[in-house]
Amino acid sequence: MLSRVLDFIYPPTCAVCSGALKSSNTKPLLCTQCDPARRATPCNLVSRKLPVASNIANLHDALHSCLRCGEPSPPNYQKNPICVACEVWPPPLRYVRSLWYYENQAENCIKAFKYGNKHRLANYFANQLLAALCGSEHYLPIFADANINDISAVQSVWDLMLPLPSSHSSTRMRGYAHMAFITRILSRNLGVSASLEALYSPTNRLAQAKLGYKERFQNAKSAFAARGKVVKGKKIVLIDDVMTTGASLWSAAWCLLDAGAISVDALTISRSKHFGSLRLNSARQHIAESFVA
């Protein structure tokens, strides 16, 4: 009764467009037009359009995605589950998976959370990541090819969950470490330990969003530091919002491995639709530099 009275006095609104929301017991944060889970283009094995299949491996083969970076692969996937870019220049991450492509509803929702002080969206993103990890009515598990498809499997595969830290300037401007919110909630729901300080940014650096492709990798060099006592001997998963070139995640993974981590995976809310072509450019540059050397 009190809930209905409060909804009448303070009508619930969408966290992105501020449009009126229909009152319900579930307390939705987003209207149907702004909800990425309903509207955004899914990545990897996450898809509300596909039925939950008993044989996830066969379904993954049908989708033809790279085992390492999760990008769409050519028809010879079953012969070689690793894309050309990952073969030529293997990433320091074992697996990289994302919920949606960074556009339209997903982009608007992330920007509302990241720049619009919509803190309550942290629960929304954490719940979507949880559903995608463990499978649900709307999602297939995005790590199914790595046999990570339920909570018990997640607990056996990862020891530690870390948010990818923003630069000092970005955190000051925003007023809070946005990925720490999501990581804390996801960690609690999965029963996997999290550390908000094991990986940190020791120096100020430019925001990646303002930089071009080559500048991102240069800017990400030595951008992170790790507390070896916390990460040594641990199997780690990094949590981030947007992957564009992969420069920040790559740099963080190298840092963690140098500090003694056993392995590093990455789970992001979204990725750029240009990530695949940018990875190929990285591989070509790597080949060119190896010949020069």
Side-chain angles (χ1 to χ4, degrees):
M1 182 67 181
L2 178 60
S3 176
R4 292 182 181 179
V5 172
L6 290 174
D7 285 349
F8 178 77
I9 299 173
Y10 305 104
T13 58
C14 174
V16 174
C17 71
S18 299
L21 291 173
K22 292 182 179 179
S23 180
S24 70
N25 294 329
T26 57
K27 296 291 182 182
L29 295 175
L30 301 166
C31 67
T32 55
Q33 295 301 314
C34 293
D35 190 348
R38 295 173 179 266
R39 301 283 181 177
T41 305
C43 295
N44 311 138
L45 280 178
V46 179
S47 178
R48 61 189 178 281
K49 298 177 182 177
L50 294 170
V52 175
S54 58
N55 193 333
I56 295 292
N58 289 343
L59 181 59
H60 188 225
D61 287 344
L63 292 177
H64 304 302
S65 58
C66 174
L67 183 65
R68 293 289 293 272
C69 70
E71 277 295 290
S73 298
N76 68 343
Y77 168 80
Q78 293 189 28
K79 294 181 180 179
N80 187 2
I82 306 298
C83 72
V84 173
C86 287
E87 274 204 328
V88 173
W89 191 31
L93 295 143
R94 280 193 316 171
Y95 304 106
V96 187
R97 297 292 184 270
S98 308
L99 282 179
W100 309 295
Y101 285 111
Y102 187 63
E103 60 180 5
N104 303 325
Q105 290 83 4
E107 180 178 358
N108 294 337
C109 198
I110 289 172
K111 285 181 175 178
F113 173 62
K114 196 172 181 178
Y115 306 114
N117 291 319
K118 304 292 185 179
H119 297 177
R120 54 187 178 149
L121 284 171
N123 276 300
Y124 170 82
F125 287 127
N127 288 336
Q128 297 301 319
L129 289 170
L130 178 66
L133 280 170
C134 303
S136 72
E137 180 182 353
H138 300 291
Y139 289 118
L140 293 170
I142 58 177
F143 278 99
D145 55 342
N147 295 318
I148 306 173
N149 51 24
D150 57 38
I151 289 181
S152 60
V154 169
Q155 293 171 346
S156 66
V157 170
W158 295 318
D159 305 312
L160 190 61
M161 191 169 287
L162 306 178
L164 191 75
S166 300
S167 64
H168 291 304
S169 56
S170 295
T171 303
R172 279 197 304 269
M173 178 189 70
R174 203 173 295 125
Y176 62 101
H178 67 298
M179 291 311 301
F181 281 88
I182 296 173
T183 303
R184 188 184 292 113
I185 298 168
L186 187 60
S187 165
R188 183 172 63 246
N189 291 338
L190 286 171
V192 176
S193 297
S195 173
L196 308 183
E197 298 177 350
L199 181 68
Y200 61 98
S201 185
T203 59
N204 279 319
R205 66 184 193 276
L206 296 173
Q208 292 286 76
K210 299 178 180 179
L211 303 177
Y213 159 70
K214 290 183 179 180
E215 290 78 13
R216 284 173 180 257
F217 278 90
Q218 188 63 37
N219 189 50
K221 284 184 178 179
S222 304
F224 303 101
R227 290 182 166 86
K229 289 183 179 180
V230 181
V231 304
K232 187 175 181 180
K234 298 295 176 61
K235 294 172 288 185
I236 294 170
V237 59
L238 288 168
I239 311 297
D240 197 17
D241 53 1
V242 184
M243 179 173 67
T244 304
T245 62
S248 294
L249 286 170
W250 268 231
S251 179
W254 278 316
C255 172
L256 291 167
L257 291 170
D258 286 343
I262 294 175
S263 63
V264 184
D265 299 327
L267 178 60
T268 74
I269 296 169
S270 68
R271 70 172 63 190
S272 168
K273 274 202 164 183
H274 303 294
F275 172 75
S277 59
L278 291 171
R279 279 284 291 139
L280 283 173
N281 286 338
S282 298
R284 292 189 186 102
Q285 184 177 356
H286 179 72
I287 292 173
E289 289 174 353
S290 65
F291 276 114
V292 171

